[in-house]
Amino acid sequence: MAALLLLPLLLLPLLLLKLRLWPQLRWLAADLAFSVRALRCKRALRARALAAAAADPEGPEGGCSLAWRLAQLARQRPAHTFLIHGAQRFSYAEAERQSNRAARAFLRARGWDGGPGGGDSGAGGAGEGERAVHGVRDSVAGSGAARPVREGDGAAPLAPGAIVALLLPACPEFLWLWFGLAKAGLRVAFVPTALRRGPLLHCLRSCGARALVLAPEFLESLEPDLPALRAMGLHLWAAGSETHPAGITDFLAEASAEVDGPVPGYLSAPQNIMDTCLYIFTSGTTGLPKAARISHLKVLQCQGFYQLCGAHQEDVIYLALPLYHMSGSLLGIVGCLGIGATVVLKSKFSAGQFWEDCQQHGVTVFQYIGELCRYLVNQPPSKAEHGHKVRLVVGSGLRPDTWERFVRRFGPLQVLETYGLTEGNVATFNYTGQRGAVGRASWLYKHVFPFSLIRYDVTTGEPIRNTQGLCVATSPGEPGLLVAPVNQQSPFLGYAGGPELARGKLLKDVFQPGDVFFNTGDLLVCDDQGFLRFHDRTGDTFRWKGENVATTEVAEALEALDFLQEVNVYGVTVPGHEGRAGMAALVLRPPHSLDLVQLYVRVSENLPPYARPRFLRLQESLATTETFKQQKVRMAKEGFDPSALSDPLYILDQAGGAYLPLTPARYSALLAGDLRI
């Protein structure tokens, strides 16, 4: 009898423990399933890499991860459609052949002789001083005799591991050239297509580019830049057969003259998997774009992206993101290669055409950024949006309100929101579908992909530390800075250029003396159920149209105008839009007046479209803090409502190409969704 009385007392602590842990334990099955999938994915990628390392170095499957994966798919699934672009369809076998031709043309520009050992040791392993040779072996040239290296543009032959920049829209040629460069043992830099003048030249110089391949349709807008590009000693190619200025030749014509046989793998095999093979430009708080170093390891890891998302080889993936972006190239294209699926590539996203495309091509997976989903739910109803086969949408930046409207209107389908950075070493996946979350912080997930949230002082811009000088983990519901340990499995390679570009990206002595963590610069919140939600970005950088906008870059462009004395750039929240739109507070330089025409010309010529301020505010003087820093937070909170502000306000009219007074009528039209920004 006494034992029966004691039983409830013994079970009470277990019950209390269960109630306290239940919010986390209820998701244990999902956490366990995803962790098992992630471990299997890592094991499979490791097996592929080991097989490539053991392969014949003369064969195509002995090269870098892009080279051997494409060669594998061309052998295993030669007839399966890899790429759909408009009316064009390319199988994996055709993709292999096209990239082989491009690789051979690039090898010719390298002056590779194809002799025993090839005179170089693979991608990234050779220096700029590598000797130039004068012919290409028959097995590479594909003709009866070796043909000479192309002359005439004044540029020296490309050295092994040299950097070739691509300034191309999302198109099949972008992929063939990218894959061909990888196979030829050259590194590639993806240049944002909107960059011109100073920002473009900065990008090419910062990554050390030795060649540039550009789209013919960009030649007119690039004409003022051509003298500077020639002065840099670059190889200049156009990817098309239109008439070109002097010194620019058609690379596609050169590639089409090559044979399409396999390229030896040793040309691209990295000496170290941590070697840089790619540069992707990302905007940071330093202003101008920075060339983030992408390693062979990261490219290999991105092969597992769609496997982690639950996609498979029979899926058809809709990709309308720019390929110079990590989301488009590494996650979209490399992720598709990882599962051997089909990708429908769009040069430009069209909300009105989207569902018709999905019906026509049998799309099952859609990769988004938050803005794309908002564009779709704002479209009028159409017949094509019913009866589609889309079952999974994957991406980042989807706001909870748009998420709910998207699923309610276009479902049933699964939304898988993710989080990651181009140069970062941490990623999160919301594999449960919890609305508004970007991932999970369960101990199982953090065992596979470790990260932490630490307390952060938004006033000082630094992590909060305890009396021992170590950082402090946040509590549930408390915003914290997302950091991840830096090690061999999760490295941070930094940026091309000086070490000052990475200043602030690494935190030391986080949880114990001597440890090193990557600072994402983002504040997230973990709730009591273990769900991660994005809170805000630290510093001055904000996000608009899926791109990071650095306020310093915008301010520098505006400050070059002689009639402006001071400029303060910040992001403001616009109802119904993801991210924050750029706004600039301006102070005139006496005795000048505001020249809106000249101002528009300045921003349109010197800033990419997403970075151009949507709103202007004319002030007598700029508010500053006690330490004479510009007041950005307060200005952002004050917004752009003309009925609440006495300062003159202006709005960007993109259709008309001008800044117009922001009247109450235009403000109401903007809130109603009738005025596009």
Side-chain angles (χ1 to χ4, degrees):
M1 187 67 177
L4 290 175
L5 291 174
L6 287 173
L7 185 60
L9 294 175
L10 294 173
L11 293 177
L12 183 60
L14 296 177
L15 179 62
L16 292 174
L17 180 64
K18 180 180 179 182
L19 289 174
R20 186 171 66 86
L21 296 179
W22 173 244
Q24 298 244 8
L25 289 175
R26 62 179 294 202
W27 301 104
L28 180 60
D31 293 336
L32 184 61
F34 184 84
S35 298
V36 170
R37 183 191 302 170
L39 290 172
R40 286 177 176 172
C41 180
K42 283 189 171 184
R43 190 179 302 118
L45 292 178
R46 177 175 172 79
R48 287 183 191 174
L50 290 174
D56 179 5
E58 293 286 344
E61 295 186 26
C64 68
S65 61
L66 273 181
W68 56 248
R69 182 56 181 163
L70 194 56
Q72 282 180 349
L73 290 168
R75 173 171 50 81
Q76 296 168 358
R77 322 190 75 203
H80 188 80
T81 300
F82 161 54
L83 179 67
I84 299 172
H85 183 261
Q88 298 176 292
R89 300 176 75 94
F90 300 91
S91 66
Y92 275 105
E94 179 63 15
E96 171 76 348
R97 291 193 292 269
Q98 292 280 6
S99 59
N100 284 343
R101 291 190 184 98
R104 293 169 183 279
F106 283 122
L107 284 169
R108 189 175 302 285
R110 265 186 51 182
W112 183 66
D113 67 350
D120 63 74
S121 54
E128 290 292 330
E130 193 87 30
R131 69 183 184 277
V133 290
H134 305 290
V136 181
R137 190 175 59 177
D138 293 350
S139 65
V140 173
S143 60
R147 295 188 296 174
V149 178
R150 178 176 61 87
E151 302 289 349
D153 59 7
L158 297 176
I163 298 160
V164 178
L166 299 183
L167 185 63
L168 302 171
C171 59
E173 291 74 20
F174 187 112
L175 301 185
W176 313 149
L177 299 187
W178 171 20
F179 299 163
L181 284 165
K183 292 180 176 185
L186 297 168
R187 291 176 287 177
V188 59
F190 296 160
V191 180
T193 55
L195 296 184
R196 299 293 185 273
R197 314 300 181 265
L200 171 62
L201 299 177
H202 162 81
C203 287
L204 296 174
R205 291 189 181 107
S206 66
C207 70
R210 303 306 307 151
L212 172 66
V213 186
L214 52 90
E217 58 265 35
F218 296 159
L219 277 170
E220 183 177 354
S221 62
L222 284 168
E223 188 172 353
D225 297 319
L226 291 180
L229 295 175
R230 294 190 181 101
M232 291 172 64
L234 299 177
H235 287 258
L236 294 176
W237 286 293
S241 56
E242 297 179 13
T243 303
H244 308 131
I248 300 179
T249 54
D250 181 5
F251 183 84
L252 298 185
E254 295 181 14
S256 66
E258 304 290 345
V259 296
D260 57 15
V263 176
Y266 70 84
L267 290 167
S268 63
Q271 289 186 335
N272 190 310
I273 200 167
M274 299 296 181
D275 288 345
T276 300
C277 63
L278 170 65
Y279 294 92
I280 295 181
F281 289 92
T282 176
S283 294
T285 54
T286 58
L288 290 169
K290 296 186 292 187
R293 298 179 182 272
I294 307 299
S295 67
H296 288 276
L297 173 63
K298 188 155 191 170
V299 174
L300 175 64
Q301 291 171 336
C302 287
Q303 286 191 25
F305 175 71
Y306 269 116
Q307 184 178 342
L308 290 174
C309 294
H312 51 74
Q313 64 180 7
E314 298 307 319
D315 274 317
V316 178
I317 301 167
Y318 193 92
L319 186 64
L321 305 178
L323 294 181
Y324 61 77
H325 221 274
M326 176 184 172
S327 297
S329 54
L330 294 186
L331 302 185
I333 297 299
V334 176
C336 177
L337 290 174
I339 57 174
T342 298
V343 61
V344 178
L345 181 64
K346 301 291 290 187
S347 297
K348 188 176 181 181
F349 179 76
S350 169
Q353 185 69 29
F354 175 78
W355 290 112
E356 291 183 13
D357 286 342
C358 291
Q359 295 278 9
Q360 178 183 353
H361 301 299
V363 172
T364 57
V365 178
F366 167 45
Q367 186 177 339
Y368 68 86
I369 57 172
E371 286 290 291
L372 301 189
C373 295
R374 183 177 66 83
Y375 297 154
L376 290 173
V377 298
N378 287 339
Q379 284 289 299
S382 68
K383 293 182 180 179
E385 71 185 55
H386 302 289
H388 61 79
K389 297 180 180 179
V390 178
R391 63 176 181 84
L392 174 65
V393 293
V394 180
S396 59
L398 184 58
R399 283 175 36 167
D401 57 337
T402 303
W403 189 324
E404 184 176 353
R405 293 170 62 197
F406 191 90
V407 174
R408 185 171 63 246
R409 178 171 170 180
F410 305 125
L413 45 76
Q414 178 190 358
V415 175
L416 203 161
E417 176 82 355
T418 65
Y419 167 89
L421 298 173
T422 301
E423 69 273 47
N425 66 342
V426 59
T428 65
F429 294 78
N430 180 6
Y431 44 83
T432 66
Q434 183 79 358
R435 208 156 292 173
V438 300
R440 294 274 296 151
S442 69
W443 67 269
L444 275 171
Y445 185 91
K446 292 168 76 172
H447 178 72
V448 182
F449 302 106
F451 66 87
S452 299
L453 295 181
I454 59 175
R455 289 181 174 173
Y456 181 82
D457 188 333
V458 295
T459 305
T460 63
E462 296 290 339
I464 296 173
R465 296 181 180 267
N466 60 22
T467 55
Q468 285 77 43
L470 303 178
C471 296
V472 182
T474 59
S475 303
E478 178 186 4
L481 180 66
L482 178 64
V483 297
V486 175
N487 50 44
Q488 282 292 104
Q489 291 72 39
S490 302
F492 169 65
L493 298 187
Y495 311 94
E500 69 278 0
L501 295 175
R503 187 175 296 126
K505 285 295 183 181
L506 295 179
L507 297 175
K508 297 181 179 180
D509 306 327
V510 176
F511 293 118
Q512 59 186 20
D515 64 11
V516 179
F517 278 64
F518 173 73
N519 174 9
T520 65
D522 289 329
L523 301 175
L524 277 68
V525 177
C526 180
D527 63 21
D528 60 356
Q529 297 187 60
F531 286 103
L532 290 167
R533 286 177 167 78
F534 185 84
H535 181 72
D536 203 0
R537 293 185 179 275
T538 62
D540 297 335
T541 300
F542 58 91
R543 198 165 181 83
W544 179 250
K545 301 293 184 183
E547 299 278 358
N548 291 338
V549 181
T551 58
T552 50
E553 179 185 0
V554 181
E556 286 173 2
L558 292 173
E559 287 168 349
L561 294 167
D562 59 2
F563 56 86
L564 293 181
Q565 180 170 283
E566 291 183 89
V567 178
N568 182 12
V569 179
Y570 47 94
V572 292
T573 301
V574 182
H577 292 70
E578 274 79 22
R580 288 185 286 166
M583 186 166 183
L586 311 174
V587 175
L588 293 175
R589 187 186 307 277
H592 293 278
S593 58
L594 182 61
D595 187 339
L596 291 172
V597 173
Q598 189 179 348
L599 192 150
Y600 176 80
V601 170
R602 176 67 186 174
V603 299
S604 63
E605 289 187 352
N606 290 274
L607 294 173
Y610 61 83
R612 297 166 190 169
R614 266 50 182 180
F615 304 99
L616 304 176
R617 179 177 177 179
L618 193 59
Q619 294 189 292
E620 292 293 329
S621 62
L622 295 184
T624 60
T625 66
E626 293 179 354
T627 55
F628 306 104
K629 294 181 179 178
Q630 291 181 343
Q631 286 273 16
K632 294 182 182 288
V633 175
R634 195 188 83 187
M635 296 290 287
K637 288 181 178 178
E638 291 178 358
F640 51 91
D641 184 352
S643 65
L645 298 173
S646 59
D647 296 327
L649 300 173
Y650 303 89
I651 187 170
L652 176 62
D653 177 11
Q654 296 199 91
Y659 283 99
L660 304 176
L662 180 55
T663 62
R666 289 194 175 102
Y667 180 80
S668 299
L670 174 62
L671 298 187
D674 298 327
L675 182 60
R676 292 184 58 191
I677 59 168

